[in-house]
Amino acid sequence: MICAAVLAETALAGAQFPQSGPAAVAPQGVTATIPSNTLSPKAADESKRKPFTLTGLDGVKHSLSDWKGKVVVLNFWATWCSPCLYEIRDFVVYQKKYKARGLQIVGLGLDDERRLRNVQRTLEMNYPVLIADPVDNSGLMEQWGNRSGVLPYTVVIDRDGRMAYIHRGKMDRDIFDQYVLPLLDKV
Amino acid sequence: MKIHLHLFGILVSAAFFATLPNSAMAEPQVLVTIGSMQVTSDDLNAALASSPFATQSASMDEDDQAGLRGDMLRRLVAARLLTLEALRQGLDKTGGYKLDMENFRLGLLYRFYMDKLRERIVIPADTLAAMKQQFNGDPDGLNAAKAAYVAVQFKTLKLATLQNLLKLDHTRLHEDRIKEGPKANTVLMEGDSFRIRYADIVDPKEHAVPPNPEWVKEQLYNRGELLLVAMAADKEGVDVSDKLKQYQNERLPAVMLEAKTKEWIPDEKTLQEWFAKHPEVAIVPERRHVGQMVVGTRKEAEYLRARIIKGESLFTLAGEFSIDPVGRKQKGDMGWIVEGRGMPELNSALSGLEDGQISEVIETKEGFHLLTILEREPGGKKPYIEVRNRIRQIVINEALRPYLGELERRYKVSWRVIKNT
């Protein structure tokens, strides 16, 4: 809002839009409070795929080895989670666009089968959805590093089966471009 | 507000609504025409996306999705009917409505201008590189740093822009007049192309006592900033007509409904009289936390009842012996049940039970039941003031239904929903 000082100003030169800001570094007070979203190099070295076998909405039992050699985006979601549904719409686009380059998105639906199936139909999901009923799979997310249980939660696994990146919350396009796309180029 | 509508003579295919794809259709399909207006598939999708059911609907069964879309379509048709009637009655020509629209237009222009101002801020390459280095592998941290940088720059840029606008319009501020007891037409701020009077920022209907001068000053600054920025956007040819039209489509039905509501409920007495005729609206039934077990024979039920009376837990035994699968899984805990709901035999038995007491054996078509009440929330009768809003809504809904029927006869409603066979 206009402050009194501005209104009281009597002799102002015509304001110019600054072409660039002062040569500043990142503001203070940000680094200490924001936890790292990616794996540390050491953790990445030690992180291998956590094994699981879950039934998909296609009725077939799946494990991560089904997509060996691909860049797997393992997305934990639930039908009641609004950001998850927005993110799924993006994932459908990515899967269609980058499938030929080796992208494999896999949804881990933490919900009952009927609801998952309805979302799959409504959002026209073009990638596998595994049924991870939260009652029977309470420890699954924790095993994949999500102790707080936040959704959506996404683990990116490179072609060698190593966890390359973890994202909490909705994955935006720039994050996908920065952390997933480069992995597709590594054959 | 929940509007219950009955639009007659409509055969809407549930399958049609259910099978509309998530992705936007290539060409919006006209679903209904209402006089000179229409509702398209895009309108329906947009309404659903902004409704409280946006998330929930994706996981619904096809029939439920179809029901939801049908209900939403009826609401949109009702809104169009109210809009047409509002226009016929010239409600868009009233001073209050015009003022409302003008304020909304100013707000749109202001927001547009400020958004453009923010977009002009570019983080210098060396600053960005430093941030990326500092937050390597931490996208949230990087975003926070970028946002913090832009916020600081925006503040400076906004201030400079406002200073410039003030200067260009030769704006003069008469703060001293606020303390002198201004009249409605006292000018408090003016420039070459605008003037703000006391009445523009203080509505005497809302302020029986003159408001605090500091508050008035703040309102004056806000109004001045809004006008200056909106005028600047206007001069640059910013077009907000689409959004204004959208707002009109939302506002006019509401204005029409407000006018009719005053007719249907002219005074408090109307609601009080309705309450006198329908006292049941205030009655709150008792809620009981119920334990139950069901077995196949009376003999078994009597045997288990005796064990419970001797000290065993109904809940432990229910988990072991109840033939009701849900009850057995929940070990007899049936949750909170509202008085009057459920099977009459059980409801009747519950009415005579003390907390913790085990019922006699009750026979129903499901089997032989034993019941107990763990705790209860007593019922009662709410005072008028607590049910007033509910009564108001009921009265509006009762009057709205025939009124919409009347409007349907006035404006031709043509449903173009094609049955999906």
Side-chain angles (χ1 to χ4, degrees):
Chain A
M1 294 297 119
I2 297 176
C3 65
V6 175
L7 288 162
E9 195 74 57
T10 50
L12 286 167
Q16 299 289 318
F17 290 131
Q19 296 305 305
S20 65
V25 291
Q28 291 181 345
V30 177
T31 50
T33 54
I34 299 174
S36 173
N37 220 12
T38 53
L39 300 169
S40 68
K42 189 183 174 192
D45 286 344
E46 291 170 358
S47 300
K48 291 281 185 183
R49 289 172 176 172
K50 304 283 192 290
F52 63 75
T53 302
L54 292 168
T55 305
L57 290 178
D58 58 2
V60 177
K61 286 194 180 300
H62 291 280
S63 62
L64 275 176
S65 59
D66 292 5
W67 301 288
K68 193 176 178 184
K70 295 193 173 187
V71 174
V72 176
V73 173
L74 195 60
N75 174 234
F76 293 78
W77 65 282
T79 64
W80 45 262
C81 160
S82 186
C84 298
L85 302 189
Y86 281 103
E87 187 180 53
I88 286 170
R89 289 176 171 93
D90 292 342
F91 282 162
V92 167
V93 175
Y94 302 154
Q95 183 59 49
K96 186 179 177 187
K97 191 169 179 183
Y98 300 110
K99 181 183 177 183
R101 288 172 61 185
L103 176 69
Q104 184 58 63
I105 298 172
V106 177
L108 253 76
L110 299 155
D111 227 318
D112 72 52
E113 183 178 342
R114 189 171 61 87
R115 287 199 180 91
L116 294 173
R117 205 172 280 288
N118 282 335
V119 172
Q120 185 193 40
R121 169 181 51 78
T122 308
L123 301 187
E124 299 170 348
M125 294 172 74
N126 54 359
Y127 54 84
V129 176
L130 311 185
I131 308 161
D133 190 297
V135 177
D136 302 328
N137 296 280
S138 56
L140 188 63
M141 283 216 293
E142 195 171 336
Q143 286 166 23
W144 284 85
N146 188 3
R147 287 194 181 84
S148 57
V150 68
L151 286 178
Y153 180 79
T154 303
V155 180
V156 181
I157 300 161
D158 67 15
R159 291 182 194 274
D160 296 327
R162 295 174 191 278
M163 286 201 285
Y165 175 65
I166 285 175
H167 191 83
R168 295 172 178 83
K170 182 178 176 293
M171 183 184 278
D172 292 328
R173 175 79 216 201
D174 56 342
I175 297 292
F176 181 83
D177 288 353
Q178 191 177 348
Y179 292 97
V180 182
L181 277 188
L183 298 176
L184 297 178
D185 296 330
K186 291 179 187 170
V187 180
Chain B
M1 186 192 69
K2 187 169 183 179
I3 306 174
H4 291 289
L5 305 170
H6 286 280
L7 298 168
F8 302 105
I10 304 161
L11 179 61
V12 178
S13 160
F16 169 83
F17 287 119
T19 52
L20 277 176
N22 165 57
S23 50
M25 296 173 78
E27 287 292 329
Q29 184 191 351
V30 175
L31 301 176
V32 190
T33 57
I34 310 103
S36 58
M37 304 187 88
Q38 59 186 30
V39 179
T40 67
S41 50
D42 278 4
D43 294 332
L44 181 57
N45 287 333
L48 272 171
S50 60
S51 78
F53 308 105
T55 300
Q56 194 187 344
S57 67
S59 62
M60 286 179 174
D61 290 339
E62 283 185 271
D63 285 351
D64 293 335
Q65 284 177 335
L68 180 63
R69 294 181 76 86
D71 187 49
M72 193 62 77
L73 184 58
R74 290 183 194 90
R75 287 173 193 230
L76 290 174
V77 171
R80 302 291 194 272
L81 286 168
L82 291 167
T83 300
L84 286 170
E85 183 59 10
L87 290 170
R88 190 185 75 82
Q89 292 190 18
L91 297 186
D92 58 328
K93 305 284 191 302
T94 62
Y97 177 78
K98 282 183 175 174
L99 186 65
D100 185 13
M101 291 301 287
E102 176 57 10
N103 282 334
F104 191 75
R105 190 184 75 88
L106 292 173
L108 285 175
L109 288 169
Y110 178 89
R111 211 174 318 142
F112 184 91
Y113 195 89
M114 287 299 166
D115 287 348
K116 286 289 165 196
L117 212 57
R118 194 184 294 272
E119 283 171 17
R120 295 181 73 154
I121 298 167
V122 177
I123 303 176
D126 55 344
T127 307
L128 188 59
M131 287 179 185
K132 283 184 175 173
Q133 191 178 3
Q134 187 176 351
F135 295 100
N136 183 28
D138 180 2
D140 286 345
L142 181 61
N143 284 338
K146 283 181 184 173
Y149 179 88
V150 170
V152 171
Q153 293 300 314
F154 178 67
K155 198 175 170 186
T156 310
L157 184 55
K158 184 179 166 185
L159 203 62
T161 304
L162 291 173
Q163 285 172 332
N164 195 31
L165 293 175
L166 285 164
K167 186 171 180 287
L168 288 173
D169 210 60
H170 304 107
T171 306
R172 297 172 303 284
L173 179 66
H174 307 295
E175 268 188 324
D176 49 329
R177 295 177 186 172
I178 296 174
K179 289 180 185 168
E180 291 165 1
K183 297 199 166 36
N185 62 353
T186 301
V187 175
L188 300 179
M189 191 191 290
E190 59 188 319
D192 293 345
S193 47
F194 78 104
R195 188 169 284 174
I196 301 174
R197 295 182 173 83
Y198 184 68
D200 293 329
I201 51 174
V202 179
D203 183 354
K205 286 178 196 163
E206 291 179 12
H207 298 277
V209 179
N212 184 316
E214 287 304 313
W215 182 86
V216 176
K217 209 185 287 182
E218 193 184 331
Q219 300 306 307
L220 181 62
Y221 297 158
N222 291 350
R223 183 73 183 168
E225 179 177 333
L226 177 73
L227 287 177
L228 279 166
V229 173
M231 284 189 305
D234 232 353
K235 276 181 193 163
E236 289 185 17
V238 174
D239 181 11
V240 292
S241 56
D242 279 354
K243 285 189 175 172
L244 209 56
K245 185 78 188 162
Q246 201 180 330
Y247 180 65
Q248 185 187 23
N249 286 342
E250 289 169 11
R251 192 70 195 114
L252 272 180
V255 169
M256 187 67 238
L257 201 55
E258 282 163 21
K260 290 305 291 183
T261 300
K262 280 181 190 161
E263 199 179 293
W264 297 328
I265 309 173
D267 48 31
E268 198 66 23
K269 200 177 153 197
T270 310
L271 298 179
Q272 287 165 344
E273 284 176 356
W274 191 94
F275 183 48
K277 286 180 193 163
H278 305 87
E280 69 280 1
V281 78
I283 291 172
V284 182
E286 184 178 270
R287 293 174 74 242
R288 300 141 175 171
H289 190 178
V290 175
Q292 177 191 232
M293 68 183 301
V294 194
V295 291
T297 65
R298 178 174 289 279
K299 190 178 173 187
E300 188 182 4
E302 293 289 6
Y303 167 71
L304 290 167
R305 184 172 185 273
R307 283 175 62 176
I308 293 164
I309 288 171
K310 280 184 186 167
E312 288 190 67
S313 160
L314 175 143
F315 299 97
T316 306
L317 294 174
E320 197 175 342
F321 297 110
S322 192
I323 58 171
D324 164 29
V326 177
R328 193 168 62 245
K329 190 177 176 187
Q330 294 173 187
K331 294 188 175 175
D333 187 346
M334 305 310 288
W336 288 87
I337 296 173
V338 176
E339 180 187 3
R341 301 266 171 88
M343 298 169 79
E345 305 95 312
L346 302 183
N347 194 50
S348 171
L350 283 169
S351 294
L353 278 187
E354 299 286 329
D355 286 5
Q357 187 185 353
I358 302 299
S359 71
E360 298 293 333
V361 176
I362 310 144
E363 183 178 353
T364 73
K365 61 182 172 103
E366 304 294 333
F368 295 85
H369 304 246
L370 292 173
L371 296 170
T372 188
I373 294 177
L374 284 169
E375 52 186 328
R376 69 183 82 208
E377 279 180 5
K381 190 177 176 185
K382 288 186 177 176
Y384 167 74
I385 195 68
E386 285 185 28
V387 288
R388 183 194 173 279
N389 287 344
R390 192 172 158 216
I391 293 171
R392 187 174 181 277
Q393 199 55 60
I394 293 170
V395 173
I396 291 171
N397 286 350
E398 282 180 351
L400 182 61
R401 210 169 291 140
Y403 179 63
L404 286 171
E406 194 185 305
L407 293 183
E408 271 187 80
R409 287 187 288 279
R410 179 168 292 154
Y411 305 100
K412 192 183 170 195
V413 177
S414 175
W415 295 78
R416 298 185 182 183
V417 176
I418 303 161
K419 193 170 183 183
N420 189 353
T421 49

